[in-house]
Amino acid sequence: LSEEYRQGTAALGDSVEAEVLPREAYKKLESGVIYADISKGDGDEVKEGKKVNMQWVLRRSNGYFVDSSAVSDSVPFIFTVGDPNGAIQGLDEGIRGMKAGGTRRILIPPRLAWMQGVDDGKPGPLPAGFGPRQQMRRVMKDRIDVPGEYIFLEVKVSKVR
């Protein structure tokens, strides 16, 4: 991973979360999803069938900010792990094993992101507003097959039930 990927952004802008993570901290799943724990939580573990509340920050692979839950009054994204209509596939895979209170940086290949589109009622988290959604539509249309292209999500799990 290049330096700009490892620097990232902090899910909620706090001190430790803004630090650069070493290359060794990143793990790659068979699907191509890459993740690194910024901070480990001490609550319940995210598993198949669990309902998860999370805060999130979405960036393009060049680090350009797209959207975050903070823009929408910090309303958390809530979904059930394993539900194909809940979260985009890359997030559903990348969040497993986290614990409530933890923060994770997840790099998702576009082919595991918004394949069904970014319209209301589709798997999320969905960017709010025309501009952010249009940016993701462009990535999904024009950059889906570009090697090294990722959707960059930082998530903080606030609740698992």
Side-chain angles (χ1 to χ4, degrees):
L1 296 172
S2 61
E3 185 67 20
E4 58 269 14
Y5 280 123
R6 293 189 296 124
Q7 285 186 8
T9 60
L12 297 176
D14 298 278
S15 58
V16 176
E17 297 165 350
E19 293 180 10
V20 175
L21 295 175
R23 185 178 305 269
E24 304 77 44
Y26 288 87
K27 295 173 181 61
K28 187 170 187 176
L29 302 175
E30 285 184 31
S31 64
V33 171
I34 299 171
Y35 71 89
D37 288 319
I38 297 169
S39 64
K40 299 207 183 272
D42 56 7
D44 293 334
E45 185 175 341
V46 175
K47 299 178 186 175
E48 179 95 20
K50 295 279 191 173
K51 188 170 252 186
V52 176
N53 292 29
M54 63 173 229
Q55 298 294 322
W56 55 277
V57 174
L58 172 65
R59 292 188 181 267
R60 293 183 45 193
S61 61
N62 63 2
Y64 187 84
F65 175 83
V66 177
D67 201 7
S68 77
S69 53
V71 172
S72 301
D73 296 326
S74 295
V75 173
F77 175 58
I78 302 169
F79 71 100
T80 301
V81 178
D83 177 358
N85 296 316
I88 56 175
Q89 183 181 345
L91 174 61
D92 191 84
E93 291 178 18
I95 199 169
R96 294 172 191 237
M98 284 185 73
K99 292 188 176 186
T103 305
R104 183 173 280 181
R105 191 171 292 156
I106 306 172
L107 284 68
I108 303 170
R111 62 183 168 70
L112 298 176
W114 293 278
M115 296 305 295
Q116 298 175 29
V118 291
D119 302 311
D120 291 338
K122 303 294 184 189
L126 293 170
F130 177 78
R133 287 188 181 191
Q134 192 63 15
Q135 287 183 52
M136 290 298 99
R137 282 186 189 103
R138 272 193 231 106
V139 168
M140 298 306 297
K141 179 178 179 256
D142 300 332
R143 301 195 53 87
I144 195 161
D145 295 326
V146 175
E149 183 74 27
Y150 289 97
I151 308 289
F152 191 104
L153 266 174
E154 284 197 2
V155 299
K156 182 166 188 164
V157 174
S158 51
K159 190 181 216 178
V160 178
R161 52 185 194 269

